[in-house]
Amino acid sequence: CSSDLVCISQLFYAQEIIDLRNGDALVNPGKRMYIYEDQSTLLSIKEITKPETLKLFTPATQEIPNFNVCASAIWSRFIITTRVKENWLLEVGNPNAESVKCFISKKNKLIDSVEFGIHSSNSGRALKTYHGYYDLNISPNDTLELFIRWTDKTPLHLQFSIGTVSKFFESDHLTNFSHGLFYGIIILMIIYNLFLAISGNGREYYFYVFYIFFNLLFLLFFTGHVSVLPQSIRNILYIHPVVIPAIFGTFGILFTMEFLQTKKLMPTIHFFMKLIIGFAAVIVLISLSNYFYIALFLLQIEGILLAAVCLGSGIISFRNKNKFAKFYLFGYGAYLLGLTFFIGSDYDFFPFFNQRIYILESGAIAEAVMLSFAIGEKLNSANRERSEAQQTALEISMENEKIIREQNSMLEQK
């Protein structure tokens, strides 16, 4: 064909066409996509649509194709048609992907293109939200072919949805309510523990406040709500995404060392915790040296090591009759198990699905609440011990005073 895009009609028979119907739920192209990995990251849309390149596209094997940490550019193509008049939108499910470029072809010609991602503007978007929405402008009996190019520094997942405005509104309403509930609980825990820290109850409270705060920033990035933060913080998250999780992991270990007194009670584990802190610092330096993908891979390993060491220290403390360890073990364990699932799903050890972030958020809520209970109980216990010590000292003082009075009385009589 002599058009800008090669004739693709001969390829239709090999790929299922997605038929958009009135009243359907949100449609995920899933296994109806074809995928090509451009390891050079240099191919343009004209080069991608050449016959020799189109032959290299292979069917997706997952509903949400997962490439984890990937330095390549990933291209996907799928075909849509409809027989009804609706305002169909395309949503890019990962709002924090570095770059997502969509090319739309109709009747063998490129008719439009739009770019989403962390560095793109809102121009060309159907809805000005943190999600990437594009108006497909597809009329009844039209057929469009979409080529979409992904690049990302964080784990790369090809998440798309197609539907009407009302369907997206219904879906986002529940999603935003769930995220809002999570943010509210976490912010309350930050305020509560900050009050305890300012009251002069020990540095472990400051460690915990900073841990919750940076954990919140970490989760804001994955939910897409990082767009509400100041540009300086967003730049750190976008340019060096390993920095925030490395910091919150470090404060988590520092809190564990203080709370469980690992230096005194578990010196071997305490030594390994210091090694993990050093490992986190090395990861940040690697990222700042622009070796992003190596840093991200090492960060995932550090996350699993952190989970193992912190859970192990909690179990040992519990077996040693530490009365606060049960709170720590349940709370920290819930979050770290969620984090392990989150990281493991990137490697396909566990099923990958859109709602996996809720598992991590649920673990974070359980952790924040239970560790706040533990901190509160520890503070109450310390206050009770202090009060008992003061009462004992007072009783001893009164007894001594009584003895002195009796001795003075005996001396006067003599």
Side-chain angles (χ1 to χ4, degrees), residues 22 70 93 103 109 117 164 186 188 220 230 232 286 371 405 408:
N22 191 25
C70 178
F103 302 90
K109 292 184 179 180
T164 61
I186 295 300
L188 283 175
L220 279 170
S232 57
I286 291 173
L371 290 186
R405 284 200 305 269
N408 289 337

Side-chain angles (χ1 to χ4, degrees), residues 83-108:
R83 286 170 285 183
V84 297
K85 184 175 179 56
E86 285 283 2
N87 184 23
W88 298 103
L89 301 179
L90 170 71
E91 178 198 52
V92 175
N94 182 357
N96 294 310
E98 182 179 35
S99 176
V100 183
K101 296 181 179 179
C102 303
F103 302 90
I104 297 87
S105 167
K106 179 181 178 181
K107 295 181 180 180
N108 310 327

Side-chain angles (χ1 to χ4, degrees), residues 217 278 286 388:
L217 292 182
I286 291 173
E388 290 172 0

Side-chain angles (χ1 to χ4, degrees), residues 61 192 277:
T61 58
Y192 168 69
I277 293 175

Side-chain angles (χ1 to χ4, degrees), residues 60-300:
T61 58
Q62 300 169 297
E63 287 298 324
I64 301 177
N66 173 20
F67 292 88
N68 197 10
V69 179
C70 178
S72 303
I74 305 298
W75 287 84
S76 65
R77 59 179 286 266
F78 53 91
I79 306 164
I80 60 173
T81 189
T82 186
R83 286 170 285 183
V84 297
K85 184 175 179 56
E86 285 283 2
N87 184 23
W88 298 103
L89 301 179
L90 170 71
E91 178 198 52
V92 175
N94 182 357
N96 294 310
E98 182 179 35
S99 176
V100 183
K101 296 181 179 179
C102 303
F103 302 90
I104 297 87
S105 167
K106 179 181 178 181
K107 295 181 180 180
N108 310 327
K109 292 184 179 180
L110 181 65
I111 61 171
D112 201 3
S113 64
V114 65
E115 182 175 1
F116 302 111
I118 56 178
H119 300 302
S120 65
S121 67
N122 281 332
S123 60
R125 299 190 181 189
L127 298 174
K128 305 301 187 287
T129 69
Y130 64 93
H131 279 293
Y133 289 102
Y134 172 71
D135 191 342
L136 291 169
N137 289 319
I138 183 171
S139 301
N141 301 316
D142 275 351
T143 298
L144 302 180
E145 183 171 28
L146 283 78
F147 290 86
I148 303 181
R149 180 185 184 274
W150 287 76
T151 59
D152 205 354
K153 292 177 182 176
T154 58
L156 195 158
H157 314 107
L158 306 191
Q159 297 174 254
F160 305 107
S161 295
I162 302 173
T164 61
V165 173
S166 61
K167 290 298 179 182
F168 281 120
F169 179 82
E170 291 172 7
S171 175
D172 286 349
H173 179 71
L174 179 60
T175 299
N176 290 332
F177 173 79
S178 301
H179 290 325
L181 182 64
F182 163 73
Y183 298 144
I185 294 173
I186 295 300
I187 291 172
L188 283 175
M189 293 298 101
I190 290 175
I191 295 172
Y192 168 69
N193 288 283
L194 183 61
F195 174 78
L196 294 179
I198 294 174
S199 299
N201 294 302
R203 61 181 184 176
E204 65 188 279
Y205 298 93
Y206 285 105
F207 289 153
Y208 188 55
V209 167
F210 284 118
Y211 168 73
I212 301 177
F213 175 74
F214 284 105
N215 190 17
L216 178 61
L217 292 182
F218 171 70
L219 290 170
L220 279 170
F221 179 78
F222 282 100
T223 60
H225 293 101
V226 69
S227 58
V228 305
L229 298 177
Q231 187 63 45
S232 57
I233 298 178
R234 290 161 58 188
N235 288 338
I236 295 174
L237 288 166
Y238 293 155
I239 299 172
H240 298 288
V242 306
V243 172
I244 296 299
I247 291 174
F248 95 73
T250 297
F251 277 114
I253 291 180
L254 290 172
F255 167 75
T256 300
M257 295 164 81
E258 287 289 325
F259 186 76
L260 297 180
Q261 299 181 324
T262 56
K263 184 176 182 180
K264 176 182 177 181
L265 304 176
M266 294 172 281
T268 302
I269 289 182
H270 184 81
F271 173 74
F272 279 110
M273 287 181 172
K274 291 196 293 185
L275 288 181
I276 292 177
I277 293 175
F279 188 30
V282 171
I283 291 172
V284 171
L285 290 175
I286 291 173
S287 176
L288 295 176
S289 301
N290 293 328
Y291 294 99
F292 308 111
Y293 301 103
I294 296 175
L296 279 168
F297 174 74
L298 294 176
L299 182 69
Q300 291 174 328

